[in-house]
């Protein structure tokens, strides 16, 4: 058993949606340090380009700006990626949205935007990239990692109805997709993050000490915590984790 090879991503290609900041960027940096060629996508081209430039100091990182909330945007991203690589080893479906509003006032727009990006997009982007994932699965397995949330596992104190429901749906979708794709040498799994500093989780970002007090581990998550989980699932080490969701939250989901 070679421990270095167990967690290595040397020579592999990875596409990370929502990769310009937050959890997506943490994963992109981890993959680069593990030896992968990384392509990051984000809706805002300027931010995506800037992040790729900064990450290129670590390893090969390419910006592929796209709006993956629509099927047209998904197909545009796939076409852009195909100009660089013939196959895809690792797909991280991280792009997401949240919406909070009181129950009596919760709008349809806050439902559709969140449910589409958090649940529909991972399905259709993976579907579109499946031929490239299967083509990559030669002497190793191809990997798809969905980024869910502990809010899809336990109930948070905020009125984020569509967010919680979409993340719970994504966790179950992970199981269903895994059953379809595992025989084709494409392994689907998920990560359910807890408090990590990001635009999505402003409380962890702006009030880390306060959030840490509610976290059994006594702190918010670090880039190493997220990168470690993603590298594990993406590498040979995670080959036998099929359809499962890895909870990376310092114990918050159970403390609730």
């Amino acid at each position: 058993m070679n421990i270095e090879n167990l967690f290595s991503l040397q020579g592999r290609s990875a596409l990370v949606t929502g990769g310009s900041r937050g959890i997506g960027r943490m994963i992109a940096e981890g993959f680069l340090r593990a030896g992968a060629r990384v392509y990051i996508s984000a809706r805002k081209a300027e931010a995506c380009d800037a992040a790729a430039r900064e990450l290129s100091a670590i390893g090969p990182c390419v910006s592929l700006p796209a709006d993956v909330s629509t099927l047209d945007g998904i197909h545009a991203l796939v076409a852009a990626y195909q100009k660089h690589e013939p196959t895809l080893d690792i797909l991280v479906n991280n792009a997401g949205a949240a919406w909070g509003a009181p129950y009596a006032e919760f709008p349809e727009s806050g439902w559709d935007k969140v449910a589409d990006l958090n649940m529909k997009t991972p399905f259709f982007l993976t579907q579109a990239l499946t031929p490239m994932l299967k083509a990559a699965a030669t002497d190793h397995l191809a990997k798809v990692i969905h980024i869910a949330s502990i809010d899809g596992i336990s109930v948070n104190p905020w009125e984020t109805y569509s967010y919680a429901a979409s993340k719970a749906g994504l966790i179950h979708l992970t199981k269903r997709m895994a059953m379809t794709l595992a025989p084709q040498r494409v392994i689907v799994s998920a990560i359910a993050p807890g408090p990590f500093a990001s635009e999505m989780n402003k409380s962890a970002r702006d009030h880390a000490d306060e959030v840490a007090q509610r976290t059994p581990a006594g702190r918010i998550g670090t880039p190493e915590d997220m990168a470690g989980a993603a590298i594990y699932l993406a590498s040979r080490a995670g080959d036998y984790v099929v359809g499962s969701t890895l909870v990376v939250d310092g114990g918050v989901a159970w403390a609730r």
Side-chain angles (χ1 to χ4, degrees), residues 47-177:
C48 196
D49 294 346
R53 277 196 302 273
E54 291 164 14
L55 289 168
S56 291
I58 303 164
C61 184
V62 176
S63 169
L64 299 176
D67 180 0
V68 292
S69 66
T70 68
L71 283 178
D72 285 347
I74 284 170
H75 293 139
L77 175 58
V78 172
Y81 176 80
Q82 284 175 320
K83 291 176 182 173
H84 296 270
E85 301 274 352
T87 63
L88 175 62
D89 295 291
I90 306 155
L91 170 63
V92 179
N93 284 307
N94 170 70
W99 197 295
Y103 174 72
E105 300 160 22
F106 202 91
E108 185 183 22
S109 59
W111 187 273
D112 292 347
K113 176 185 176 181
V114 172
D116 281 359
L117 188 55
N118 292 2
M119 201 160 41
K120 189 169 86 172
T121 291
F123 179 83
F124 284 103
L125 181 57
T126 305
Q127 182 193 62
L129 287 165
T130 293
M132 297 185 78
L133 289 160
K134 287 167 65 176
T138 50
D139 61 338
H140 60 274
L141 301 175
K143 300 293 180 73
V144 176
I145 304 169
H146 297 322
I147 305 303
S149 169
I150 58 169
D151 293 350
I153 294 170
S154 65
V155 180
N156 74 24
W158 305 287
E159 293 189 273
T160 52
Y161 299 101
S162 54
Y163 181 79
S166 66
K167 292 300 188 178
L170 183 59
I171 287 168
H172 197 71
L173 181 63
T174 299
K175 303 169 193 173
R176 178 59 268 181
M177 290 175 68

Side-chain angles (χ1 to χ4, degrees), residues 12 25 29 32 41-42 74-75 89 94 98 110 126 133 176 200-201 212 256:
R12 300 191 191 181
R25 182 167 174 150
E29 180 174 341
L32 287 167
S41 182
I74 284 170
H75 293 139
D89 295 291
N94 170 70
T126 305
L133 289 160
R176 178 59 268 181
M200 188 84 75
N201 193 334
R256 283 175 177 171

